Amino acid sequence: MGSLRHGVNTYLGSCADGVALSLAAMHVKAPAHSEFSLLAGGPAHWIQQRLGLIKPGAPHLWRRAALAVAVTWVPLLLISAAEGLALGHRVQLPFLCDFSVHARFLVAIPLLILAEGLVEQRVMDAVKHFVHAGLVSQTDFPRFEAAMESCKALRDSVVAEAVLLALTVMSVILTSREFPFNFSTWRSFVSESVHLRTFTGWWYLVVGVGLFQFLAWRWLWRLLIWYRFLWLVAKLDLRLIPTHPDRSAGLGFVGDTQKVFWTVVVACSTTFAGILANEIVYGGVPLENYEFPIAGFAIVVLLFFLVPLLMFTPRLIEAKEKSMKEYGALAVAHNQMFDRKWVQGDNPAGDPMLGTPEISSLADLGSAYEILAKMRAVPFDPADAIVLLLAALLPMTPLLLAIMPLDKLLELLSKILV
């Protein structure tokens, strides 16, 4: 019995040491250059700094969003009014009746700019948390630093943003050859089956669509940089905590960071909804034709923002399997001691009681094992997926109500939430 007790006490001591190390890690000084900004860099950022649109500690998000509206939607309103295309019967689709242009320039573009403030702070906090929570050991600090520096170099790459600009130009050129309707609109007149783009239409295409496309491509690039950083971190020897209350071994904050991209999702979804509204109202396309595209869009959103996090899955599975064995052995030893002491009465004088501080330091072995058994193999929970799903579908609610009664829609949402 003495050897058994010694083995249990040794294991408990190692667990206590592990807890102490984890607590101490929270006070470990982070690397000197641990500040990581996903957005504050690159030629576009530097140009805005030179123009005074962005200042240190003051990104002026609302001012920049208002400026974006001022150079896209406002000129379109003024020019279309001067050309007699804002309202009236001169064209079948006047400017003020165009759902997509308002969705893109009054909602989507401002959201893509305002999202910078929300995403920037959350990503910075997440990067710091890897170190402050003790997930990255001191021996891995150099590799962690290298990961940050590598991603900063990609963020600041002139070549990368030149490619984004080239993609924007190509997108605008391809878009210039497409016209959504075969009748005259504020964007173009139809004469003998030939579309003649109006001056308002050219401003819409070159300035408005160009700005939107560049912002969209830039966000995609920033997301790829973020995923590269997470991939490099996932390759480190992370000090995971399988009994962490987040049920993701302490990585639940990564999923929480992903759902903050809901603003970007809403911007894309609003643009998609505006285009569909035009097709349905002016093109005469039944909404039922878009049931699968809408569902597909929602699925793509979940895949794009959550599937990359599966890079942590092998580590999480390994940590869970290892801890299940260790905690299982501990539970057997613990229960054997309990049975010998309290059931068989084998309790020699001076033998330590079961409730000594060394035992209670486990903070309830049963609860810890239950948390461990429910640990997920992914660093996100259903709530993260629900936030992204709602961000993808809520802007389309008016369209969905056209093909689905309100009570059925609410019933569907309640099932998703539950």
Side-chain angles (χ1 to χ4, degrees):
M1 177 175 175
S3 60
L4 175 62
R5 184 186 310 113
H6 175 73
V8 172
N9 288 337
T10 300
Y11 185 84
L12 296 178
S14 65
C15 290
D17 292 342
V19 172
L21 286 172
S22 297
L23 292 174
M26 298 178 66
H27 303 287
V28 171
K29 185 177 180 181
H33 304 288
S34 61
E35 289 290 336
F36 177 78
S37 170
L38 183 65
L39 300 168
H45 182 84
W46 300 331
I47 291 173
Q48 291 181 84
Q49 284 183 320
R50 293 292 298 270
L51 295 175
L53 298 176
I54 297 177
K55 296 181 179 179
H60 298 306
L61 297 174
W62 287 99
R63 182 185 302 177
R64 289 159 54 204
L67 180 60
V69 173
V71 299
T72 56
W73 188 87
V74 173
L76 292 178
L77 174 63
L78 297 177
I79 299 171
S80 64
E83 292 180 331
L85 302 174
L87 279 175
H89 302 284
R90 185 179 177 188
V91 292
Q92 191 169 338
L93 175 56
F95 170 77
L96 290 176
C97 297
D98 190 328
F99 298 107
S100 67
V101 70
H102 308 315
R104 192 190 301 263
F105 300 142
L106 293 181
V107 179
I109 286 183
L111 271 180
L112 291 176
I113 295 173
L114 295 175
E116 294 180 11
L118 191 62
V119 172
E120 175 78 330
Q121 187 58 51
R122 186 63 64 89
V123 168
M124 290 179 66
D125 292 342
V127 173
K128 292 178 182 177
H129 191 76
F130 276 109
V131 174
H132 295 161
L135 293 168
V136 178
S137 63
Q138 293 190 20
T139 56
D140 271 337
F141 277 176
R143 294 175 64 191
F144 189 76
E145 282 281 307
M148 287 193 295
E149 293 304 317
S150 170
C151 292
K152 288 179 182 177
L154 292 175
R155 179 201 65 192
D156 295 339
S157 172
V158 176
V159 174
E161 289 216 356
V163 172
L164 299 183
L165 186 59
L167 289 172
T168 300
V169 173
M170 290 175 58
S171 300
V172 169
I173 293 175
L174 292 175
T175 305
S176 68
R177 302 174 182 176
E178 298 179 0
F179 297 89
F181 304 109
N182 57 4
F183 51 80
S184 296
T185 69
W186 65 274
R187 304 182 202 179
S188 65
F189 293 116
V190 177
S191 177
E192 297 180 355
S193 301
V194 177
H195 287 269
L196 302 175
R197 196 175 295 275
T198 64
F199 183 74
T200 317
W202 281 111
W203 189 281
Y204 162 82
L205 179 66
V206 177
V207 179
V209 175
L211 177 59
F212 176 80
Q213 292 279 1
F214 181 76
L215 291 175
W217 284 115
R218 193 166 180 262
W219 267 112
L220 177 60
W221 176 238
R222 292 299 194 262
L223 277 164
L224 293 178
I225 293 174
W226 172 236
Y227 291 155
R228 172 176 168 77
F229 173 78
L230 292 179
W231 177 67
L232 292 174
V233 171
K235 294 168 64 178
L236 302 179
D237 186 18
L238 297 176
R239 302 171 64 182
L240 302 180
I241 308 127
T243 54
H244 195 284
D246 68 5
R247 297 182 180 177
S248 295
L251 292 177
F253 70 96
V254 178
D256 291 338
T257 303
Q258 287 304 97
K259 70 183 179 185
V260 82
F261 287 99
W262 68 264
T263 45
V264 178
V265 177
V266 169
C268 297
S269 179
T270 302
T271 303
F272 188 27
I275 294 173
L276 294 187
N278 273 359
E279 293 288 339
I280 294 166
V281 175
Y282 302 110
V285 181
L287 180 56
E288 289 78 2
N289 290 7
Y290 295 111
E291 289 179 357
F292 290 108
I294 291 174
F297 173 75
I299 293 173
V300 168
V301 166
L302 293 180
L303 293 177
F304 186 76
F305 287 96
L306 296 182
V307 167
L309 302 189
L310 296 182
M311 64 184 76
F312 290 101
T313 295
R315 294 278 187 176
L316 290 170
I317 293 176
E318 180 185 358
K320 180 176 182 178
E321 290 179 348
K322 179 181 178 182
S323 294
M324 288 288 285
K325 294 177 182 178
E326 293 176 345
Y327 272 80
L330 176 61
V332 170
H334 181 281
N335 290 341
Q336 286 178 344
M337 290 184 64
F338 181 90
D339 181 74
R340 292 193 181 193
K341 281 188 177 185
W342 304 108
V343 178
Q344 301 181 25
D346 184 10
N347 187 22
D351 193 27
M353 299 288 286
L354 190 64
T356 57
E358 289 78 8
I359 299 293
S360 61
S361 66
L362 286 174
D364 194 346
L365 175 61
S367 297
Y369 192 85
E370 182 179 355
I371 294 176
L372 178 60
K374 294 180 179 179
M375 175 185 157
R376 290 183 290 267
V378 293
F380 56 85
D381 57 32
D384 301 326
I386 289 172
V387 170
L388 293 171
L389 187 62
L390 291 177
L393 294 180
L394 283 181
M396 300 186 190
T397 301
L399 300 178
L400 295 175
L401 288 174
I403 60 173
M404 185 181 297
L406 179 59
D407 57 339
K408 294 294 184 182
L409 182 60
L410 293 177
E411 181 182 351
L412 177 61
L413 289 176
S414 65
K415 290 180 179 179
I416 293 175
L417 293 174
V418 173

